[in-house]
Amino acid sequence: MQAVQGLHHITAVASDPQANVDFYHHVLGQRLVKKTVNFDDPGTYHLYYGDEIGTPGTIMTFFPWRHMKRGRLGNGETAAVGYGIRPDSVDFWRKRLAAFNVAVGEVQTRFGAVVIPFEDPDGMRLELVTTTDPATIRPWHDGPIAEEHMLLGFHSVTLWLDEVDQTGQLLVDQLGYERVGQEGARTRYRGASDDVGLFVDLLHRPGEPSGRFGAGSIHHIAFRTVDDGEQQEYLAALRAAGQQVTPVQDRQYFHSIYFRSPGGVLFEIATDAPGFLYDEPLDELGTNLKLPVWYEQHRPRIEAALPVFELKEGEAGGVA
Ligand code: ZN
């Protein structure tokens, strides 16, 4: 079985969709590549952001529930998402975040990289992490950020855990990750490819309280698999190892299986195919409300119930 190549997508909870779109699309320059609904709750959007086409390893997705109370971060959760940037882009991003009144935390050094911490409008923790690894993203040239400073897809995620050994074992034995470093309570694992989204960091916080789910919480992280056949191999291997894994779910743009890590974090394994061009051409990605076929007959009612939001026009290549 092939080792997992890295992260596929990350799914989190937001409150106000307009604030979410303004931040990810306009401030961070992540293209809204799909506008659809929560398949279990079609009165709620499911918004997908990424590079120009939503390449696996760049895909951040949100369920914006307008009245959702803010969560409280704790053990058993994905606590932070790191996006890669070029070392030359540190000043650009500090200025850009300041220009949009985004508070930036104390800049850190981690495994030799500069880390700039900040939060999204719902308090979700984000980081910009410098990297010199080759960028495999598809640059979004119609966005607000010049190519030299664009976010380079996911660099890493940080999981807060009461225990780290069992989760580390799962990453290595079942998903083919390699343990590549330790700094204090943080252990780093690397996926097996040269693409983006390679690193999973486990932060050992024994005895600390669990999180409370809400706006700003990360619901799950998804790992990449090439195709349905390989996903079946993971499914069989995980079940043989005693994991409780869901059957394959059709998520329209990928196929998914879910299981909970020993530390409590929800993991998914998602296929690269079919991707976001499956039901929209490249130049229209994210501009139409896409519904799965079983909701099409209810489209007028669904559209009427969803809150309206607007995409701000970007100033291509501008600083702010
Ligand atoms: Zn997912």
Side-chain angles (χ1 to χ4, degrees), residues 221-297:
I221 59 173
F223 299 97
R224 288 177 70 176
T225 186
V226 176
D227 56 27
D228 295 326
E230 193 180 274
Q231 188 178 53
Q232 285 298 327
E233 292 177 28
Y234 282 118
L235 179 61
L238 285 161
R239 283 184 174 162
Q243 282 286 333
Q244 296 215 349
V245 190
T246 67
V248 176
Q249 317 274 308
D250 181 0
R251 296 307 185 196
Q252 205 86 352
Y253 310 105
F254 41 84
H255 304 144
S256 302
I257 57 175
Y258 303 85
F259 58 103
R260 208 164 277 282
S261 73
V265 180
L266 187 60
F267 284 174
E268 172 182 346
I269 296 177
T271 55
D272 280 2
F276 297 104
L277 298 169
Y278 161 75
D279 61 359
E280 259 178 330
L282 180 61
D283 59 345
E284 288 182 24
L285 282 179
T287 60
N288 310 292
L289 178 69
K290 303 307 292 186
L291 297 176
V293 63
W294 58 92
Y295 283 143
E296 271 301 341
Q297 57 176 320

Side-chain angles (χ1 to χ4, degrees), residues 164-220:
V164 289
D165 292 345
Q166 284 175 287
T167 300
Q169 201 81 44
L170 173 82
L171 288 171
V172 171
D173 291 350
Q174 302 299 320
L175 304 178
Y177 272 73
E178 188 188 349
R179 188 179 181 281
V180 291
Q182 174 131 24
E183 266 188 9
R186 180 182 295 267
T187 312
R188 172 159 288 185
Y189 294 83
R190 186 187 192 280
S193 79
D194 294 319
D195 273 347
V196 294
L198 287 184
F199 298 103
V200 176
D201 287 359
L202 306 184
L203 197 66
H204 193 199
R205 305 172 76 248
E208 297 294 328
S210 302
R212 187 189 62 223
F213 193 71
S217 298
I218 295 171
H219 185 261
H220 64 266

Side-chain angles (χ1 to χ4, degrees), residues 139-181:
W140 178 38
H141 292 293
D142 292 334
I145 314 285
E147 184 169 351
E148 59 180 317
H149 295 308
M150 278 179 197
L151 302 187
L152 303 172
F154 298 136
H155 174 274
S156 48
V157 285
T158 299
L159 277 47
W160 283 6
L161 299 174
D162 206 55
E163 65 73 34
V164 289
D165 292 345
Q166 284 175 287
T167 300
Q169 201 81 44
L170 173 82
L171 288 171
V172 171
D173 291 350
Q174 302 299 320
L175 304 178
Y177 272 73
E178 188 188 349
R179 188 179 181 281
V180 291

